[in-house]
Amino acid sequence: MRPITRALGGVVTALALVTGTTSVASAEAEPQGAAGIDWHPCPELAEVECGTLRLPIDWADPRGGEFDLAVARRRATDPAARIGVMIINPGGPGGSGVNAALRADGRFSTELQRHFDIIGFDPRGVARSQPVRCSYDLLVAQPSAYPTDRQGFDALAAYNRDLAADCRARSGPIYDHADTGAVVRDVDALRKALGERKINYYGVSYGTLIGQQYAERFGRNIRAMVIDSNMDHSLGTWRFNETEAATAEDSFREFVAWCDRTESCALHGRDVAQVWDDLLARADRGEIVDPLEPDRAVSADEIIGNAFSAFYGPQWQPLSEWLVELGAGKAVPVAFAPETADNPFPAVFCQDWAIRVKSYGEFSALVDRARRVAPHMRGSSLGHSAMAGCVGLPERVNNPQHHLRIEDAPKILMLNALHDPATGYEWAANAHRQSRDTTVLLTYEGWGHGVYPRSACTRDTTDDYLINLKTPRPGARCAAVEPAPESIASLDEKPLPTGPAPGIPGWLR
């Protein structure tokens, strides 16, 4: 049974061939011109150019091992109106920026495409940039992420350590240097290789963390920056857990409210919350089976994960249909796709966040707290999976949490939806408070993950900022736009998102 979710970004499985490398031995050299990367037509799409940039695996030892950073460039459509480059990142962690550049003509306005070379890159450890590799058999052998006793917790910790050792052995030293702090250094090296003194940047979801930390370290090298659907890297374990649970539950309440006011909802006129709770209770008793695999019971966690994925759209209409069909035991016209063995998520997240639950007692208390905050969603599928994936790993991390400190940068535009299931509005508001002198927050009053293409208001305001450096007034808001009706039948061939576990999308769009 495959999650009913539209593509949220590139699934990092394909290893497209890219050639031509340039070595960057020092992060402090200034631009030497645009000849830094040997560009050639991308094998997937000839109108986009591809190349690679040779970079240090460990920036603390730049003369040590190196890897090739895969890059794609979609040139500005009007060379006479070209402003510069716009480097983009679709989030994840694990999303392919090369894939995002290949598809950029469908995401960004014609005006942005006219004025900017759109540059995508696969972050270190992702897709074409020396991907983190792990044993497929080990990946699918994960014990429950919801242990019910100390023995189960210890098994989860041991599994995470075994998985890390396997991924490290298969991937090499880049496994221990895939954190966002290193990626930020890569972005500035890319700026120099492109021959640009200043860059424009658009990052969404986990790509906002790259943007935030680039602004902290290299703010003087920014012309304009948009960070869409923001991470809050200041949170400790408990607040991370609570805020992720709260925003997942908020998205569920918004789905219920939509069903109550919308006749096309397959659950319209019913007590949606009660139907949902009853379905989960049946799943807990093993009474819900996968129509495509009658011998396999569908767990409540799977149902919750599928709904959570649908909230990204939001895809309320197909979610309502799927819940009705699943409850009735009817075949769902969506087929589950096998998972790749590329697994950059824990290598990045667990080096960016010092979230380490040390005992079963603490773990159980965190789960209980999340379920009190989010009684219908039982916490956050994404937040819990990310937290559970770091259990048992070393406490010291490369890029631990800290308050955002941007001191030498131009005004940065932040975007966030009020009802985002993954990066809750509280995260954006808190990151904005920490950087109030250098950021402006534009609030989208609607739903889903990723704001830029939601409406003429969100798109035009962002375009005006990127092109003309005009920031919206403090407190600016864009009205919500109701999602267009979409049948579950239209979702059959749309690929899975990247996330911390099968069926759960990450901080990706």
Side-chain angles (χ1 to χ4, degrees):
M1 180 183 65
R2 175 177 162 183
I4 53 163
T5 177
R6 73 173 65 248
L8 304 178
V11 179
V12 290
T13 56
L15 296 177
L17 296 176
V18 287
T19 60
T21 64
T22 297
S23 179
V24 177
S26 170
E28 304 307 326
E30 280 307 307
Q32 299 298 316
I37 298 172
D38 183 15
W39 297 104
H40 60 275
C42 295
E44 303 92 337
L45 187 64
E47 68 188 61
V48 180
E49 299 169 300
C50 281
T52 57
L53 178 63
R54 182 65 57 84
L55 296 174
I57 290 176
D58 182 358
W59 278 104
D61 182 19
R63 299 189 184 279
E66 295 180 322
F67 77 102
D68 290 333
L69 183 81
V71 186
R73 174 171 66 183
R74 182 179 284 274
R75 288 187 178 271
T77 58
D78 185 353
R82 180 184 180 276
I83 294 172
V85 300
M86 182 172 73
I87 297 177
I88 62 173
N89 183 273
S96 167
V98 169
N99 289 348
L102 292 170
R103 298 191 301 264
D105 59 333
R107 180 168 182 85
F108 296 105
S109 69
T110 56
E111 277 300 293
L112 286 188
Q113 295 179 61
R114 176 172 171 254
H115 288 287
F116 296 101
D117 292 348
I118 297 176
I119 309 292
F121 69 99
D122 288 348
R124 52 176 56 220
V126 172
R128 306 160 183 83
S129 296
Q130 197 166 324
V132 170
R133 296 284 195 171
C134 309
S135 163
Y136 175 79
D137 291 339
L138 189 56
L139 282 172
V140 299
Q142 181 186 24
S144 172
Y146 291 89
T148 57
D149 54 28
R150 179 178 176 180
Q151 183 178 2
F153 177 82
D154 291 344
L156 177 62
Y159 169 82
N160 287 340
R161 289 191 291 268
D162 289 344
L163 179 63
D166 175 84
C167 299
R168 182 180 293 109
R170 294 172 184 271
S171 309
I174 202 164
Y175 180 84
D176 294 308
H177 299 281
D179 58 279
T180 296
V183 173
V184 163
R185 300 287 295 271
D186 297 344
V187 171
D188 205 56
L190 175 59
R191 172 190 67 82
K192 296 165 189 172
L194 292 168
E196 300 288 335
R197 294 203 172 275
K198 293 183 182 291
I199 62 168
N200 306 278
Y201 179 84
Y202 172 85
V204 62
S205 197
Y206 210 82
T208 65
L209 185 58
I210 297 173
Q212 292 170 11
Q213 297 199 340
Y214 187 86
E216 286 184 305
R217 183 160 192 162
F218 299 109
R220 64 190 179 280
N221 298 335
I222 297 170
R223 175 188 172 272
M225 175 176 284
V226 177
I227 42 179
D228 180 347
S229 305
N230 282 262
M231 304 296 293
D232 180 1
H233 198 233
S234 70
L235 300 175
T237 302
W238 280 85
R239 283 302 294 156
F240 176 87
N241 178 60
E242 290 172 342
T243 52
E244 281 288 80
T247 202
E249 185 74 5
D250 172 73
S251 287
F252 176 81
R253 290 194 297 267
E254 291 298 310
F255 166 63
V256 171
W258 173 82
C259 272
D260 288 345
R261 68 175 181 266
T262 307
E263 292 185 3
S264 64
C265 173
L267 295 166
H268 181 69
R270 302 172 66 181
D271 185 336
V272 178
Q274 188 62 55
V275 170
W276 169 265
D277 290 342
D278 289 346
L279 187 63
L280 297 188
R282 290 173 57 196
D284 289 336
R285 296 192 296 269
E287 297 172 3
I288 304 294
V289 298
D290 187 341
L292 300 176
E293 299 179 54
D295 294 333
R296 189 183 75 85
V298 177
S299 71
D301 290 342
E302 288 180 87
I303 297 171
I304 293 168
N306 285 356
F308 179 78
S309 298
F311 295 157
Y312 274 48
Q315 295 166 287
W316 290 331
Q317 181 68 42
L319 173 60
S320 70
E321 295 176 15
W322 180 75
L323 292 173
V324 169
E325 292 183 359
L326 187 65
K330 297 180 180 178
V332 181
V334 193
F336 185 71
E339 293 292 315
T340 175
D342 290 0
N343 188 35
F345 193 101
V348 181
F349 182 84
C350 295
Q351 285 289 355
D352 278 343
W353 301 78
I355 290 178
R356 300 293 188 270
V357 184
K358 299 178 182 179
S359 68
Y360 173 69
E362 182 186 10
F363 191 91
S364 178
L366 285 161
V367 171
D368 288 347
R369 175 58 181 161
R371 290 182 172 178
R372 288 196 298 272
V373 172
H376 297 293
M377 292 296 288
R378 301 183 180 181
S380 164
S381 299
L382 172 56
H384 179 86
S385 295
M387 180 179 70
C390 300
V391 167
L393 298 183
E395 293 183 26
R396 184 174 179 178
V397 303
N398 292 344
N399 184 35
Q401 302 99 298
H402 62 272
H403 279 74
L404 187 58
R405 301 181 186 91
I406 302 174
E407 298 176 351
D408 184 17
K411 283 291 185 181
I412 293 169
L413 178 60
M414 303 176 71
L415 312 175
N416 225 90
L418 274 180
H419 306 291
D420 186 315
T423 55
Y425 189 76
E426 181 178 343
W427 282 11
N430 198 32
H432 175 50
R433 280 192 295 270
Q434 296 167 33
S435 58
R436 185 172 296 277
D437 292 340
T438 53
T439 60
V440 175
L441 175 59
L442 175 67
T443 300
Y444 171 62
E445 296 177 325
W447 315 270
H449 190 53
V451 167
Y452 170 71
R454 293 287 170 184
S455 69
C457 176
T458 57
R459 184 179 59 251
D460 293 349
T461 302
T462 304
D463 286 0
D464 197 18
Y465 164 73
L466 285 168
I467 295 168
N468 302 312
L469 299 180
K470 181 181 177 182
T471 55
R473 59 175 174 77
R477 304 172 83 86
C478 288
V481 176
E482 289 277 337
E486 187 174 17
S487 170
I488 190 173
S490 69
L491 305 177
D492 190 30
E493 297 181 355
K494 296 180 180 179
L496 288 167
T498 300
I504 299 174
W507 293 283
L508 180 76
R509 189 65 174 124

